[in-house]
Amino acid sequence: MSARQFSTFLVSDRLYGIDVMSVQEITKMTNATKVPLAPPFVHGLINLRGQIATAVGLRELFELQDNSKSSEPMNVVCKGEGMLLSLLVDQIGDVIEVDDASFESTPETITPSVGKFMQGVYKIPGTLLSIIEVKKIIDVLNK
Amino acid sequence: MKTRMQPIGSILTKFQRVVRDISKELNKQIEFSTKGNETELDKSLLEAIKDPLTHIIRNSCDHGLETSEERRANGKPEVGHVIVKAFHEGGQVVIEIADDGRGLNLPKILAKAVQKKIVSPEKSNLMSEREIAQLIFAPGFSTADQVSAISGRGVGMDVVKTNIEKVGGIVDLSSEMGKGTVIRLRIPLTLAIVPAMIVASNNHCFAIPQVKLQELVRVDMDSDGPKIEYLQGQPIFRLRGHLLPLVFINQVMNLTPNRNTTEPHSRILNIVVLSGEGDPFGLVVDEIRDTADIVVKPLPQFLKRLNIYSGATIMGDGTVSLILDVVGVAEQAHIRGSSSKKQELEIINADQGMKKLLETQEYLFFELNDNGKYCLPLILVQRLEEFSRQQIEISGNEKIVKYRNSILPIISLNDFLKIKPTESKSQNDKISVIVISKRQRLFGIEVNQIHDVTRLNAEIEEPLQEVPGIHGNIIDGESIATVVDVLNIIEMTISKGTTGTTGHSLLKPKVKTNRRLRILLAEDTIFFAKNIMKILNDQNIEVVHAYDGVAALKLLKNNRENKFDLILSDIEMPNMNGFTLAEMVRSDSQLKSIPMIALTTRFKDSDIKKGLNSGFNLYLEKLKPDQLIEAINNQIGGLVA
């Protein structure tokens, strides 16, 4: 029985997780350079110690209706396909270790706007953890 | 840094050998020389330009230079020259490959491009010389009649261009027929560092690579100097006598101020003159900051796909700036290659279909209730009149007005096209009427307002959905106008019986034959051609359309077996007019028996006499379907019945 570790965070009060191995770092929101004419989920470009990361708002990307602005969005910086992707989330949670036994694939009823980024669900005590796959986000963006 | 830089001579000297081999192979005498061998370039760039450079030099030897015999015949020295020059200019390395050969044969290039379907025949008529020259960079292009081992194998200048552009360079080309061709490569000094101009607008900061930058112009709107003018609603600046189209970065990039700045609009404009693919254009920005050597960082693919940024960079203060892709910005603003220098109309062959046609025609523009732009060909218009509402009488359910001692039926285009009046419009007590003559009767077309007459060289796009009374759409500068098919509207109104006063006009004559007739129509004006074709198609007659006398004659000669029953021809046509066509037909032993009818708007006795002398059997006025059908009956009814 193997276990995996996920870095968790909240977007619109829902719990999501990304494999710790694909998370490079977590930072506070810094000033982003706006990209005119880019899709609305692109918050801008940020300078991460000399590297340029693209800030993508998960709320906009998941097309979540909740408009309550998070007071201080956090950046979950992920690396993939030769680029740095900074996912904007409302709140950072713990790193959770979960058992493979509690994994289930994404239920059919999940709205495609979120479901297309999901790898599956872990049943953890008291709540469910939706697993977001960075590669899927990049694939959708580049499609 | 220094170690990365190497003199370009290290690769140029290798070309001596390449050229010597080619000259032997082609049996041409070629002298190859280089200049500026000491010019330094980033090592990785040297590698990147080696192959494109080889290709260009081989091309210059093979296509550019003539054979010794040709050169002698043209009074040139037998030895051809290929010179490669390298030098620094404005933070870039320029490499010029010049030959003193035959130069680009622009008509041949264009013809080949049309043949290979790289450009459509319609577009080819509108291309400037510069654009035509650029065609040699199109994928799959080769004018070489014969494929040689050296060049002309289809992998050509397009690869050169892509490779040079991949490293941030530009390929430019100038040529003079008979004198030679110069290909100019502009290469950045290094790949990683690009000299750029930093501009700002509405708190957004952008970097523009200096390669694309021509000059900066500052315009004080309050001074007496040159100002921004508007041409058809588009901003234009006169730069040393040339018109420079302007693009406002705030508009094209949709930049909104971060804070609500209510300060009065700045009276000073900063124009950054940029060269894109075609002619230069001016990018108007709020502020020009500084020049800087920037380190280019790539953008993720999905942002690159926006096509307006070529990368990003980190500025001195740690903020990120986007690097503008000048060509993309021009496209975003819909500035394409120059189309100002229009080429003469070429012969369009008859077999190319009716769909999109090029023509110049005068259109009368007017307005209807919906404020849209409408127009109709001026050639159909008899007069423009204004009537007061009191003059209009209602007879039955039709509007009529007394006009020149007779009755003019009025057809309201708003009613016909079912355009409802907008509430804000107050009813004028005068109405504007376009008087149209059809079948020797006058009809008044009521419109809201008559604007002006414009000569347009535009293709009429047929609407996706066939709307009765609408011919299609036409592009007038930046806007689109609807072309109203006024003849059809009259026709439909008459047949509905809402306007027609006489019943007998409904009785249309029919062509009496025992088989399907085949008629050749030579007509350069698409409106008449369409009109005639519709009349004849309604009679189940096959119509083959030629756009001028030359095309008509070609069709006749190609169809000797399957002879046409009749030729209908316009008189005034480009390339070969109706008179000449008639003479040519009558002098051809096989064709001379085909009856010919001239269709014209001119109806002078002298013209008729000339027409009959040149071989026409009959002279008819255009847009008279009944007469036309009667005439067809008279000419060939007996023949085939």
Side-chain angles (χ1 to χ4, degrees), chain B residues 152-167:
Chain B
R153 283 159 298 177
V155 257
M157 297 300 275
D158 62 316
V159 182
V160 170
K161 195 181 181 190
T162 352
N163 282 348
I164 297 294
E165 281 178 353
K166 220 184 265 170
V167 295

Side-chain angles (χ1 to χ4, degrees), chain B residues 248-259:
Chain B
F248 287 84
I249 195 168
N250 290 340
Q251 280 170 23
V252 72
M253 313 257 311
N254 219 348
L255 304 182
T256 42
N258 286 355
R259 283 165 287 123

Side-chain angles (χ1 to χ4, degrees), chain A residues 27-43:
Chain A
T27 64
K28 273 194 182 163
M29 184 61 192
T30 50
N31 261 351
T33 300
K34 296 261 175 294
V35 184
L37 303 181
F41 55 78
V42 177
H43 278 237

Side-chain angles (χ1 to χ4, degrees), chain A residues 15-28:
Chain A
L15 189 68
Y16 298 91
I18 289 182
D19 193 323
V20 279
M21 296 315 288
S22 48
V23 177
Q24 179 184 310
E25 63 184 289
I26 287 165
T27 64
K28 273 194 182 163

Side-chain angles (χ1 to χ4, degrees), chain B residues 177-193:
Chain B
M177 195 102 154
K179 292 250 176 81
T181 310
V182 181
I183 293 171
R184 203 170 284 113
L185 310 179
R186 292 176 163 274
I187 317 269
L189 274 176
T190 83
L191 265 183
I193 298 170

